[in-house]
Amino acid sequence: MTVLLYVLAAVGGLVLLGGGVGCVAAVWRWRRRKRLPKAMLLELDLHGAFVERTPQMRLGKLFGGDENTTVRSVVTALDRARDDERVKGLIVRVGAPIIAPAHAQELRDALVRFRDSGRQTVATADTFGEGVSGNVTYYLASACARVCLQPSGEVGVMGLRLEQPFVKRALQNLGVVPRIGQRESYKNAPNTFLESGLTDAHRESLTSLANGVLGELARGIAESRGRPRADVDAWFADGPFHAADAKERGLVDDVLYRDQVYDQLKEQHGEDVELVFLERYAERAKNKGPTKKAPTVAVIHGIGAVQRSGGADGISRRGDTFDASEVAAALRAARRKKSVKGVLLRIDSPGGSYVAADTVWREVEATRAAGKPVVVSMANAAASGGYFVAAPATAVVAEPLTITGSIGVFGGKVVLDGLSRRFGVDFDGVQTHANASMNSAMHDYTPEQRAHLEASLDRIYADFTDKVARGRKLSIEQVRAIAQGRVWTGREALQHKLVDALGGFDTALAMLKNELGEKPSTRLRLRELPEERSIWEKLWSKPPMSSEREGVEARASFGLMDALERAHAAAFGRLIGTLARMVGL
């Protein structure tokens, strides 16, 4: 029996040893496959969704599902590649990317930087829009030195139209009565419910926005294609163009199928140059770490509609929610950590809860008062509550296409009593005091309740404009002249002193280096706050309700203004979504 045990143990040991050797060999083969070639052409596939940040917790991660591509990851890879001698060029395959205008601008700027490094850049597409606008896709492709188009394709550049639905008559037919107040005339989100068409102020605002967006696209295309601005304006007026016409007018350089483009590049560079996807390159290229003794800065994201709490468990939280309690806690942590010398706050938000925005505003102000600079980088939008939280920052950076401002407020309710009665549903009840029905959708406002609402709107608008004036060092008269709920592009916001510079994440980082007295070449230590927990920690840990997460509270019913500001965020988000679709998504 003892002999048998020895034999089994020996055999088991050999099996384990063989398995270990096999594992080592597999790892070695894997590491060899990981090595990047000595000469390569990178390939960027512009298709699918490009987002600011992927949610920290997605079920897809558990099952190996694909994630959306973050704009920042592509920009970082392109900037790394332009300093890599092994990289000979870049092919951009332009499909049908889902990307917001300001994100497209940040990505395009990275493409331009790569092209300006002297490396070859080629864009190839089957079409720039088929039955839809191709404004943004062509805008992206034009950053490359050479643009190729399939013979059956077209360049769908055309003018820009912004549309908004109005449901006033539909609500009247249903017996629904909107009771909404707004500050001021350009706070147009409630007009969907209150009007049957564009007011003068609404028309003025949308016209300015459309001209600003299209002008920004035309400016970039003209610079990259080396054409007078008048030529590009004519393209937008006369488009769309079939492939042959597009080549004749100078919009594209060659009319070729994708395989023909690749064959040309292969012949040009020879067999020694390998094609590598940019994603693979980013995973395997060596990343330059921070400069020795470089200071640490916290990177904090505020993305989506501003809410007091987006869910405390880290799992139920939606990826599009700006959780004010979490952002505030991250700012407090950055302020208290001696190793953290500054904060880069990245905002991509159409607004939301006034109370939640004010919570974050206070933490930004307190962080600055503690001697730590806070530089805000605004992505696609920093409007209403999204701009509120940026106002006290040390410096604010926006892309030229960032939707900025909307310094205003609205509030109220929709009365559904008529609709319920139409369907034979009657409501009855009791109340202890006269204003107990103020938030009820089954009761219209009494004169006293309406006066309370209007006073609340006045108070919030006064607080908003005052805090912007103090943060931006403007007079209250200057702020009220550019406020009134109006939205601006980032370029217009710079002219009105609502932002300090135009650019993306890297521009904001450069400004933060300057605030810290560091050289432009310094590579800072970036520390994301709050630090992401692993999937299993999120699944098995208790919700963080302790003092470690001050301000995080269990879900409760939101108050009147809180709910209305969430409605505002949704309405404004639809406007931005419409804008994104109309410029070519």
Side-chain angles (χ1 to χ4, degrees):
M1 188 65 177
T2 302
V3 173
L4 180 60
L5 289 175
Y6 278 120
V7 172
L8 290 174
V11 171
L14 288 173
V15 170
L16 289 174
L17 178 62
V21 171
C23 288
V24 170
V27 169
W28 175 251
R29 287 194 300 271
W30 177 72
R31 287 183 61 85
R32 290 191 64 185
R33 286 199 302 269
K34 277 182 65 107
R35 291 176 181 171
L36 290 169
K38 295 180 180 179
M40 57 189 136
L41 283 173
L42 298 182
E43 183 174 6
L44 170 60
D45 191 358
L46 291 182
H47 190 76
F50 288 79
V51 298
E52 175 63 28
R53 191 186 192 194
T54 56
Q56 290 189 1
M57 178 63 186
R58 287 170 60 100
L59 288 178
K61 289 184 178 180
L62 292 175
F63 303 104
D66 292 334
E67 291 293 321
N68 294 331
T69 303
T70 64
V71 173
R72 185 68 199 150
S73 66
V74 178
V75 169
T76 300
L78 287 171
D79 285 340
R80 186 185 305 170
R82 65 190 171 100
D83 295 325
D84 191 335
E85 294 181 355
R86 297 172 298 176
V87 176
K88 307 305 178 183
L90 173 71
I91 307 167
V92 181
R93 291 173 50 196
V94 184
I98 303 171
I99 186 169
H103 272 158
Q105 195 160 43
E106 191 164 9
L107 176 54
R108 189 182 189 280
D109 288 344
L111 290 171
V112 170
R113 290 194 297 271
F114 184 90
R115 182 197 66 197
D116 290 346
S117 70
R119 288 166 172 78
Q120 183 180 32
T121 53
V122 179
T124 178
D126 54 356
T127 188
F128 296 105
E130 184 178 30
V132 296
S133 169
N135 291 338
V136 165
T137 51
Y138 180 71
Y139 172 70
L140 283 166
S142 69
C144 295
R146 182 182 173 207
V147 180
C148 303
L149 178 63
Q150 186 171 302
S152 57
E154 68 175 22
V155 180
V157 294
M158 58 189 72
L160 175 62
R161 179 176 176 81
L162 301 181
E163 290 184 331
Q164 182 165 339
F166 295 91
V167 298
K168 177 181 177 180
R169 291 193 301 113
L171 295 181
Q172 288 175 340
N173 293 337
L174 292 171
V176 175
V177 181
R179 297 296 190 204
I180 303 173
Q182 59 203 96
R183 301 291 184 278
E184 294 277 349
S185 57
Y186 291 96
K187 198 70 173 180
N188 295 316
N191 291 356
T192 294
F193 311 101
L194 301 175
E195 306 290 343
S196 299
L198 296 175
T199 63
D200 290 342
H202 199 168
R203 186 176 300 278
E204 178 188 351
S205 180
L206 284 184
T207 300
S208 175
L209 189 60
N211 288 334
V213 170
L214 201 65
E216 202 62 47
L217 300 183
R219 181 182 293 107
I221 292 169
E223 290 175 356
S224 292
R225 297 298 296 172
R227 300 296 290 264
R229 174 65 184 273
D231 286 0
V232 179
D233 289 338
W235 293 348
F236 279 105
D238 299 339
F241 302 97
H242 279 292
D245 293 336
K247 182 178 180 181
E248 184 178 348
R249 295 283 291 265
L251 283 84
V252 302
D253 301 290
D254 293 291
V255 177
L256 297 168
Y257 287 98
R258 173 189 163 194
D259 65 290
Q260 293 175 310
V261 176
Y262 280 71
D263 286 344
Q264 285 186 355
L265 292 171
K266 183 178 179 181
E267 182 178 348
Q268 178 182 350
H269 290 281
E271 298 291 339
D272 293 336
V273 177
E274 296 184 32
L275 192 64
V276 176
F277 280 108
L278 185 68
E279 182 180 10
R280 178 192 167 203
Y281 173 82
E283 290 174 350
R284 302 178 185 184
K286 289 183 179 180
N287 185 19
K288 292 181 180 179
T291 304
K292 187 176 181 180
K293 296 183 179 180
T296 298
V297 300
V299 178
I300 301 172
H301 289 81
I303 301 171
V306 184
Q307 295 185 15
R308 289 157 55 204
S309 178
D313 57 12
I315 297 175
S316 61
R317 184 186 300 114
R318 295 170 56 196
D320 60 352
T321 297
F322 184 146
D323 183 340
S325 61
E326 184 175 79
V327 173
L331 285 164
R332 284 194 297 274
R335 188 163 70 247
R336 293 167 180 168
K337 291 180 184 295
K338 292 182 179 180
S339 60
V340 174
K341 305 304 180 183
V343 175
L344 194 152
L345 177 58
R346 179 76 166 177
I347 297 175
D348 193 358
S349 173
S353 163
Y354 161 66
V355 172
D358 193 42
T359 298
V360 179
W361 174 90
R362 170 58 187 164
E363 296 299 335
V364 173
E365 185 181 59
T367 302
R368 279 198 66 186
K372 297 189 178 183
V374 180
V375 176
V376 167
S377 171
M378 304 198 298
N380 299 299
S384 195
Y387 186 77
F388 192 113
V389 304
T394 309
V396 181
V397 179
E399 288 287 356
L401 283 174
T402 300
I403 301 299
T404 310
S406 191
I407 302 169
V409 63
F410 75 84
K413 65 181 179 181
V414 176
V415 181
L416 303 176
D417 181 55
L419 177 64
S420 67
R421 290 182 181 278
R422 181 164 298 186
F423 285 93
V425 180
D426 299 309
F427 285 80
D428 200 359
V430 298
Q431 62 188 63
T432 59
H433 294 81
N435 285 340
S437 63
M438 185 169 176
N439 295 344
S440 172
M442 294 299 116
H443 295 272
D444 205 339
Y445 289 122
T446 65
E448 294 77 14
Q449 290 171 349
R450 182 70 192 210
H452 187 281
L453 171 65
E454 296 296 334
S456 180
L457 295 176
D458 287 337
R459 175 180 57 82
I460 294 171
Y461 186 62
D463 186 49
F464 198 166
T465 52
D466 177 67
K467 285 176 175 172
V468 171
R470 284 192 282 142
R472 300 301 304 164
K473 295 180 174 58
L474 300 171
S475 69
I476 194 67
E477 291 76 20
Q478 286 176 299
V479 171
R480 293 200 171 187
I482 58 177
Q484 303 178 53
R486 182 160 178 171
V487 297
W488 308 96
T489 64
R491 191 175 296 278
E492 292 168 330
L494 178 65
Q495 296 169 357
H496 293 301
K497 300 181 180 180
L498 292 175
V499 304
D500 299 291
L502 297 179
F505 187 96
D506 290 322
T507 302
L509 206 58
M511 295 185 76
L512 190 54
K513 290 178 190 178
N514 184 63
E515 290 292 333
L516 296 172
E518 296 293 327
K519 297 178 181 178
S521 59
T522 300
R523 296 186 301 276
L524 300 173
R525 299 178 188 275
L526 304 183
R527 179 176 180 180
E528 289 221 5
L529 293 178
E531 295 175 340
E532 183 176 358
R533 294 178 295 158
S534 70
I535 290 175
W536 302 112
E537 286 177 323
K538 293 174 182 178
L539 283 173
W540 300 112
S541 64
K542 294 181 179 179
M545 300 292 286
S546 67
S547 59
E548 294 296 320
R549 282 280 306 276
E550 296 177 22
V552 176
E553 52 193 345
R555 289 187 179 274
S557 59
F558 288 95
L560 171 66
M561 294 311 302
D562 210 351
L564 289 168
E565 279 296 312
R566 294 204 321 279
H568 168 212
F572 199 86
R574 287 194 298 273
L575 172 62
I576 293 175
T578 300
L579 171 63
R581 289 192 298 274
M582 295 310 296
V583 295
L585 303 185

